[in-house]
Amino acid sequence: MQAWTPSSWQHHAAEQQPDWPDADGLHAALKTLSSYPPLVFAGEARSLQSSLAQVSAGNAFLLQAGDCAESFEEFSANNIREKLRVILQMAVVLTYSMGVPVVKVGRIAGQFAKPRSSATERIGDVDLPSFRGHIVNDSLFDAGARTPDPQRLLQAYHQSASTLNLVRAFAKGGFADLTRVHAWNQEFVASSPQGRRYERLANEIDRALHFMRACGVETESNPALSQVDIYTSHEALILGYEEALTRQDTLTGRWYDCSAHMLWIGERTRQTGGAHVELLRGVGNPVGCKVGPSMEAPELLELCEALNPSRVPGRLTLITRMGADVVEARLRPLLRAVTDAGHPVVWACDPMHGNTFSAPNGRKTRHFDDIVREIDGFVRAHRAEGTWPGGIHVELTGENVTECLGGADAVSDTDLDHRYETMCDPRLNARQSLDLAFRVAELISGTTV
Ligand code: TRP
Ligand code: MN
């Protein structure tokens, strides 16, 4: 293997890269980006990695959640806060009912790029470049909007920086304080069955805090109770952008991709000799890789070897996205092979991407029951193989959208048009997300709270 450098990926085949027509503009934007400050620090990526090591050892659980794709238009404090509220609600349900720490990672502050099945899209007799996420172009079917624009790389950086700033403020500045556990329950959620279930759990937490206070434990100024760590992650897709933010850590001399704490490689770009694996194999961040139903054990082992040859616990998260019908059968041999090869990975379940279909009205959707069924199959496979079902990776929003079917208030396919706002894949709404957290806690701990 050739020596790794932040640009060695350029000698490998890179799938899913936009055709930037303005080469000078691209060069200038990347140059500017590489002069900008890093968005995260290497030490934070290391903290996440040690938390993930706890997950790989079966002592913690990973909750990775957020938009399919973040938008340049839906960018507001409100939007970020509502998303964090749901993530905190889910985290508190999981922590309380499973009795293990929950590692919180957002698909946030950089989740802008989307892989596409086709480079162009045809409507009528017009062919235009496919929409690749706001870091590249706009979704509007118009020649100007669809032309990849390098200025968007800079806008993605700036939006990530301000999102991350707010995420940090919410995580450390009081919003995430356990004494505010009731306040995370939004009105339209509180009125639902799962919202009421959440209220009961929140009451129990209140009582536990009261009890601790009565015992003399200082609960007010205790960061373990008043603060959380929320890490950021996105799919490392646009390699020029990721390279520009790859920096050498002054403390250790190692390279880190400082665009996010954790980066993952998508199902479409995970070729072992490919450019995406090449870039991420050399950075010190914890990395993820999506694993679809066609993956066979030898290929997966090759990938583990490429991304984590030293078998560092927490370095590699395998995010399986198989489809509810096949997950149990497809996953078991992979669990066995990876365990036998001594790879200490985190196994996370993405129950969304293997269960997408088109509703009769043409809307891309997912059924809540399939999502739960995939997690069920995932847990069964792990039970059978004696491995730890380490986490979930879900697409959600804090808004009251109607994009996924089912759930406790039974979104039906005629409801989909009501509030279908995603730019990309259908997301769970706040109620469905909370519902899911309760179901996951039941599936994994085998008890009901
Ligand atoms: N700091 C702990 C944790 O992150 C407890 C905690 C504080 C917490 N606020 C929270 C847990 C909000 C879940 C949600 O786990
Ligand atoms: Mn998606």
Side-chain angles (χ1 to χ4, degrees), residues 235-306:
E235 177 174 353
L237 188 70
I238 306 297
L239 293 167
Y241 179 86
E242 302 301 336
E243 178 190 339
L245 286 161
T246 296
R247 310 294 169 80
Q248 197 164 19
D249 174 33
T250 47
L251 223 60
T252 60
R254 283 207 67 173
W255 292 88
Y256 283 81
D257 182 344
C258 297
S259 68
H261 299 110
M262 177 184 183
L263 289 311
W264 77 84
I265 304 175
E267 168 77 355
R268 292 192 175 91
T269 52
R270 59 166 171 72
Q271 303 76 17
T272 315
H276 293 79
V277 171
E278 176 60 19
L279 178 64
L280 289 197
R281 85 178 171 89
V283 299
N285 310 59
V287 299
C289 189
K290 292 286 184 100
V291 175
S294 67
M295 179 70 95
E296 301 289 345
E299 191 186 0
L300 184 56
L301 292 182
E302 232 185 292
L303 204 53
C304 291
E305 209 55 50

Side-chain angles (χ1 to χ4, degrees), residues 13-275:
E15 298 289 331
Q16 298 285 342
Q17 301 307 290
D19 257 322
W20 304 95
D22 177 9
D24 293 342
L26 175 65
H27 185 76
L30 292 177
K31 196 164 164 225
T32 304
L33 268 181
S34 49
S35 73
Y36 282 168
L39 292 170
V40 305
F41 298 105
E44 299 175 317
R46 283 192 288 272
S47 306
L48 173 58
Q49 184 157 296
S50 55
S51 294
L52 291 171
Q54 288 302 312
V55 178
S56 73
N59 303 322
F61 191 77
L62 168 66
L63 172 62
Q64 192 169 15
D67 273 305
C68 177
E70 288 174 278
S71 158
F72 283 0
E73 281 131 38
E74 309 269 298
F75 170 44
S76 67
N78 217 45
N79 187 282
I80 297 165
R81 190 184 55 240
E82 298 314 305
K83 216 174 309 175
L84 289 188
R85 277 210 222 197
V86 186
I87 293 176
L88 291 176
Q89 280 191 294
M90 292 179 80
V92 92
V93 167
L94 292 166
T95 311
Y96 191 78
S97 43
M98 292 171 56
V100 294
V102 171
V103 182
K104 305 154 197 73
V105 181
R107 289 175 62 112
I108 200 166
Q111 175 52 23
F112 292 111
K114 300 311 298 172
R116 301 313 305 258
S117 50
S118 167
T120 56
E121 180 181 355
R122 159 165 293 202
I123 297 184
D125 51 9
V126 183
D127 285 297
L128 290 177
S130 292
F131 172 54
R132 289 185 181 274
H134 277 168
I135 193 171
V136 176
N137 57 6
D138 189 69
S139 60
L140 197 75
F141 194 78
D142 164 280
R146 286 292 175 91
T147 304
D149 175 3
Q151 285 305 311
R152 288 178 169 270
L153 295 163
L154 301 175
Q155 196 176 337
Y157 170 91
H158 290 298
Q159 183 166 323
S160 299
S162 20
T163 303
L164 185 53
N165 182 53
L166 202 56
V167 170
R168 290 187 198 280
F170 282 137
K172 304 291 175 190
F175 184 77
D177 193 320
L178 275 178
T179 59
R180 293 180 41 93
V181 63
H182 290 280
W184 305 328
N185 212 5
Q186 298 183 68
E187 215 143 315
F188 75 91
V189 179
S191 59
S192 67
Q194 55 277 29
R196 288 193 293 274
R197 191 175 177 189
Y198 177 83
E199 281 300 316
R200 288 196 293 276
L201 184 142
N203 287 336
E204 286 186 40
I205 291 174
D206 274 346
R207 288 168 61 93
L209 290 174
H210 262 100
F211 175 69
M212 283 196 275
R213 226 169 284 140
C215 295
V217 177
E218 187 53 79
T219 57
E220 298 296 302
S221 55
N222 187 340
L225 300 172
S226 63
Q227 301 183 1
V228 293
D229 290 320
I230 299 178
Y231 296 99
T232 63
S233 70
H234 62 259
E235 177 174 353
L237 188 70
I238 306 297
L239 293 167
Y241 179 86
E242 302 301 336
E243 178 190 339
L245 286 161
T246 296
R247 310 294 169 80
Q248 197 164 19
D249 174 33
T250 47
L251 223 60
T252 60
R254 283 207 67 173
W255 292 88
Y256 283 81
D257 182 344
C258 297
S259 68
H261 299 110
M262 177 184 183
L263 289 311
W264 77 84
I265 304 175
E267 168 77 355
R268 292 192 175 91
T269 52
R270 59 166 171 72
Q271 303 76 17
T272 315

